[in-house]
Amino acid sequence: MHWLDTIGVDIAMDFRANPATLANAIPRAIEENGSTMIADTTAITARRERAAEVGTVFDAVVVGAGFAGMYMLHRLRGLGFSARVFEAGSGVGGTWYWNRYPGARCDVESMQYSFSFSEKLDQEWNWSEKYAPQPEILSYANHVADRFDLRRHIVFDTRVIAATFDEAAKGWLIETDRGDKVAAKFCIMAVGCLSAPNRPNFRGLDDFRGPIYHTGEWPHQGVDFTGLRVGVVGTGSSAIQSIPIIAQQASALTVFQRTATWSVPAWNEKLTPEYLQAAKADYPALRAKARARPTGFYFPFNTKPALEANPDDREQQYEEAWARGGLPFLGTYGDLLFEKAANDTIADFARRKIRGIVKDPVTADLLCPDNVFGCKRLCVDTGYFETYNLPHVKLVDISRTPIERFTADGIEVDGVKYRLDAVVCATGFAAMTGSFDKITITGRAGLTLSEKWRAGPRAYLGIASAGFPNLFMITGPGSPSVLASMIQAIEQHVDWLADCMGHMRDIGAASIEPLAEDEDAWVEHVNEVSKVSLRSTCSSWYVGSNMPGRPRVFMPYIGGFPIYVQKCNEVMTGGFSGFVLEGAPVGNAAPEVRYTERWRVPLDIDVISPAAVAARRVPVV
Ligand code: N01
């Protein structure tokens, strides 16, 4: 049976009649059947029946029930606001709901990759490993949903397709793919930074007879690759995590690599009861230390410059940091992301490590990146480079000769045919803006957000965009978001938004909207700061260049989490300076701070490096 026959006749017919690619068929199958099962022969259940909701008015509608949407809902309820959350998936968890590929786990330590708003929650939850696997993070998300009684305000299996500002009502009309039409004063986009999969439109996709999976929309029942010839396209974080596991099952594994990837060993381990007890005894202190870090999570960090170190000492430092593993490897010295010569020292070290692991020198050479170390998002792996020592694993370089086409039974590159039974596209996401583009968001004067952002996203603090009153985004472009620990970045935004909405109610404000000049200044600042970092120099999803046709703009704020938080706090204590509040007799009055207090950390510019370098050279606006 062809795998398309398992995803529903309508979709299969549509796919075959229409040159729309397989890439389009997969998400439609998922959306229309309420399941991510792509190639299984078991029946796919229909989406749960329910009547469309029309005409209800809420204080706030939240789009998405990942960590951002869940916490926003919790805060809205705490303030007594009525709220509805619409979620495309059948459950909570966002990224961790969809990304179920083998080996998926976080690369920020579990004790810090979690909500910090509730000390009770911190104390009652026990992580099993240093880096939690995806099923455990999803269990945690479900626990939070139950623990804080969130589910009854969330409508699942429902995708928001449009949000339109109503000038007269100073509110939003929100429409879903299930026919819902509801109104809300506030519309809050909790749509995720890495949630719109990038499915390259390879030639001949529809000829391929086997299943094609995307790591970001993995079948819920899992995939058994036993005995199959599998191809993996891409070598980013998702590929690095899944390749070693797929290799254990597949009879042959071929990896198609466009850009070699820097990766550091995770040295993941089980967390003992003694470790958990000790860490929890000091949990508030750990949380406070994390908030003061440019990344929003804590790890020992050496601010000294690599270039001033004696070469033997430097080698020793790198060895010790490699032995500790993980993202903190980038914190071995303070200038690694700012001085190319400093970066060369860590890059040389990491290349020697790769060559020391991979036995075949040709493969080892191909696996050695030639770009700046940590320029793209650094990967953290368990046995990635070692996998290439297995006799049935092959690396194909597609940097100069891209994938030519898919055929019925494989992939062709440079005239060579690789026979495959299944393909995994670990090709990433339309980062930062892709999830916004999927919704028609129409603001003042009929302008859509996609139109406004055509040359690159423009948002004040990554929270709101001029022309779109009362529309908020959680970890939007221009905020630290993906350059910080995501859950901390989310919590800070949500707490700020909760205080903002509470204040508006206190003073009777009808709407809030950034001033165009403050937004322009912030966007320019985000851009200027990025130039200080070597991260702006290569092609990556940070700058949108992982996909054709996207403008090259450094999207997240790289100035550092505490500096950003300080700016947000100043804006708030200034009565939301840079925003215009309409309909309130008192205008930009100082607000009552309900939730943001915990984000006020002492700002020590000398210890918050690497962002400090940027901050010194480009002052915060
Ligand atoms: O995606 P990616 P990802 N032809 O964009 C290649 C987070 N995350 O899903 O580098 C051939 O990094 C592309 O090649 P190139 C984390 O923030 C975290 O792996 O553009 N190849 C690249 O190799 C991460 O950074 C974890 O030249 C094509 C790969 O596909 C982010 O999500 C785990 C191609 C895509 O890599 C995204 O990671 C997983 C084409 N047309 C993800 N198009 C944690 O550990 C793209 N590629 C927490």
Side-chain angles (χ1 to χ4, degrees):
M1 183 190 270
H2 193 284
W3 73 274
L4 277 174
D5 296 325
T6 70
I7 63 171
V9 174
D10 289 350
I11 295 166
M13 292 296 290
D14 178 46
F15 168 61
R16 284 167 178 157
N18 179 331
T21 62
L22 189 59
N24 292 328
I26 292 173
R28 283 200 52 213
I30 291 163
E31 279 175 23
E32 300 193 7
N33 294 285
S35 160
T36 56
M37 200 62 218
I38 294 168
D40 196 293
T41 50
T42 52
I44 287 173
T45 52
R47 294 203 300 183
R48 274 172 281 174
E49 286 300 320
R50 67 169 180 83
E53 185 174 16
V54 178
T56 319
V57 181
F58 298 97
D59 290 318
V61 159
V62 180
V63 185
F67 282 97
M70 288 165 68
Y71 185 47
M72 189 73 253
L73 174 60
H74 176 61
R75 282 291 178 236
L76 286 165
R77 291 189 61 225
L79 285 167
F81 284 123
S82 64
R84 164 76 76 242
V85 180
F86 289 112
E87 165 57 52
S90 301
V92 297
T95 287
W96 301 103
Y97 173 89
W98 298 105
N99 285 261
R100 299 174 188 233
Y101 61 83
R105 61 177 70 245
C106 67
D107 56 11
V108 170
E109 291 191 17
S110 319
M111 293 297 290
Q112 298 191 59
Y113 192 82
S114 51
F115 284 123
S116 64
F117 68 90
S118 161
E119 279 185 39
K120 278 190 184 154
L121 177 64
D122 269 352
Q123 291 299 327
E124 73 197 15
W125 185 263
N126 286 317
W127 294 106
S128 67
E129 296 177 49
K130 180 176 175 186
Y131 298 113
Q134 173 271 332
E136 194 170 338
I137 303 173
L138 191 57
S139 297
Y140 174 77
N142 278 289
H143 170 73
V144 171
D146 294 331
R147 169 90 168 59
F148 296 95
D149 191 21
L150 301 177
R151 284 183 209 281
R152 61 201 169 94
H153 304 278
I154 307 173
V155 175
F156 293 104
D157 299 309
T158 304
R159 183 176 287 282
V160 168
I161 53 171
T164 310
F165 184 63
D166 178 341
E167 187 74 60
K170 297 270 182 278
W172 288 85
L173 177 69
I174 291 104
E175 297 168 73
T176 77
D177 64 349
R178 304 286 293 264
D180 307 290
K181 286 184 172 54
V182 301
K185 176 168 176 172
F186 301 108
C187 181
I188 303 162
M189 295 292 167
V191 290
C193 298
L194 294 156
S195 303
N198 166 33
R199 297 184 196 83
N201 195 6
F202 296 114
R203 194 153 72 94
L205 269 180
D206 47 343
D207 296 335
F208 186 62
R209 280 201 301 260
I212 301 176
Y213 305 96
H214 192 285
T215 46
E217 283 178 338
W218 201 256
H220 285 200
Q221 290 90 331
V223 181
D224 182 4
F225 290 111
T226 305
L228 299 183
R229 296 165 301 181
V230 181
V232 175
V233 182
T235 50
S237 298
S238 305
I240 296 252
Q241 289 185 327
S242 56
I243 282 169
I245 308 209
I246 295 173
Q248 287 167 18
Q249 297 178 352
S251 63
L253 174 62
T254 309
V255 178
F256 298 89
Q257 173 185 277
R258 188 164 72 178
T259 309
T261 305
W262 295 113
S263 187
V264 178
W267 310 125
N268 188 29
E269 58 192 0
K270 295 271 179 224
L271 296 180
T272 62
E274 295 73 33
Y275 174 90
L276 287 171
Q277 198 182 8
K280 285 184 181 187
D282 217 9
Y283 225 150
L286 175 65
R287 296 296 196 184
K289 282 197 290 188
R291 286 196 277 273
R293 288 299 167 129
T295 48
F297 68 101
Y298 177 77
F299 56 88
F301 182 79
N302 178 10
T303 57
K304 293 193 180 117
L307 291 178
E308 287 175 16
N310 162 304
D312 290 341
D313 290 346
R314 196 166 54 211
E315 185 76 4
Q316 181 62 25
Q317 291 297 321
Y318 287 146
E319 279 294 354
E320 287 173 15
W322 187 269
R324 287 190 296 272
L327 298 176
F329 186 61
L330 253 179
T332 314
Y333 289 105
D335 53 353
L336 295 173
L337 284 174
F338 300 98
E339 303 292 344
K340 179 66 169 61
N343 193 277
D344 287 344
T345 65
I346 196 169
D348 287 346
F349 177 88
R351 279 192 207 98
R352 276 185 274 123
K353 282 291 178 195
I354 296 170
R355 292 203 169 94
I357 297 169
V358 181
K359 293 187 179 130
D360 172 41
V362 176
T363 306
D365 270 352
L366 283 178
L367 287 168
C368 283
D370 55 13
N371 58 13
V372 163
F373 184 93
C375 194
K376 288 172 186 273
R377 171 68 152 65
L378 184 61
C379 297
V380 176
D381 73 277
T382 297
Y384 173 67
F385 293 115
E386 289 82 348
T387 302
Y388 291 95
N389 291 332
L390 299 172
H392 67 295
V393 177
K394 183 176 179 56
L395 183 67
V396 176
D397 176 21
I398 55 168
S399 61
R400 280 177 290 272
T401 49
I403 288 176
E404 217 165 285
R405 56 170 290 133
F406 277 56
T407 63
D409 58 357
I411 286 179
E412 272 181 30
V413 177
D414 201 17
V416 180
K417 191 167 177 175
Y418 299 90
R419 289 191 193 284
L420 304 167
D421 302 309
V423 172
V424 174
C425 283
T427 44
F429 303 89
M432 310 293 294
T433 57
S435 304
F436 290 93
D437 288 337
K438 287 207 262 183
I439 305 168
T440 306
I441 302 168
T442 311
R444 282 192 204 280
L447 180 71
T448 66
L449 194 70
S450 295
E451 282 163 0
K452 180 179 171 182
W453 286 8
R454 189 154 289 152
R458 305 189 73 76
Y460 185 39
L461 303 174
I463 283 179
S465 194
F468 298 82
N470 291 359
L471 181 89
F472 295 128
M473 35 199 99
I474 301 173
T475 64
S479 72
S481 57
V482 290
L483 294 174
S485 178
M486 275 309 295
I487 298 186
Q488 302 314 296
I490 284 167
E491 283 189 293
Q492 184 267 338
H493 260 197
V494 168
D495 285 343
W496 192 95
L497 286 173
D499 275 346
C500 174
M501 289 183 275
H503 174 65
M504 287 177 68
R505 185 174 58 187
D506 291 346
I507 64 168
S511 69
I512 186 167
E513 180 184 354
L515 289 160
E517 56 266 35
D518 287 74
E519 178 174 295
D520 289 347
W522 182 254
V523 171
E524 199 180 317
H525 172 63
V526 171
N527 191 29
E528 282 304 306
V529 170
S530 76
K531 289 182 196 157
V532 178
S533 166
L534 293 172
R535 276 197 164 134
S536 64
T537 59
C538 67
S539 157
S540 71
W541 59 257
Y542 290 138
V543 296
S545 60
N546 60 323
M547 290 171 65
R550 305 190 89 210
R552 189 184 169 101
V553 176
F554 198 93
M555 292 181 278
Y557 178 58
I558 204 167
F561 187 64
I563 293 177
Y564 172 81
V565 171
Q566 187 192 46
K567 169 74 180 173
C568 290
N569 290 344
E570 283 169 8
V571 167
M572 178 173 288
T573 47
F576 298 94
S577 51
F579 287 91
V580 61
L581 288 138
E582 280 186 5
V586 284
N588 291 53
E592 179 187 337
V593 174
R594 295 174 169 97
Y595 298 115
T596 43
E597 198 50 48
R598 68 192 174 111
W599 300 102
R600 289 179 200 282
V601 293
L603 191 65
D604 184 343
I605 206 85
D606 287 324
V607 298
I608 60 162
S609 187
V613 179
R616 273 196 219 101
R617 293 185 195 172
V618 184
V620 176
V621 288

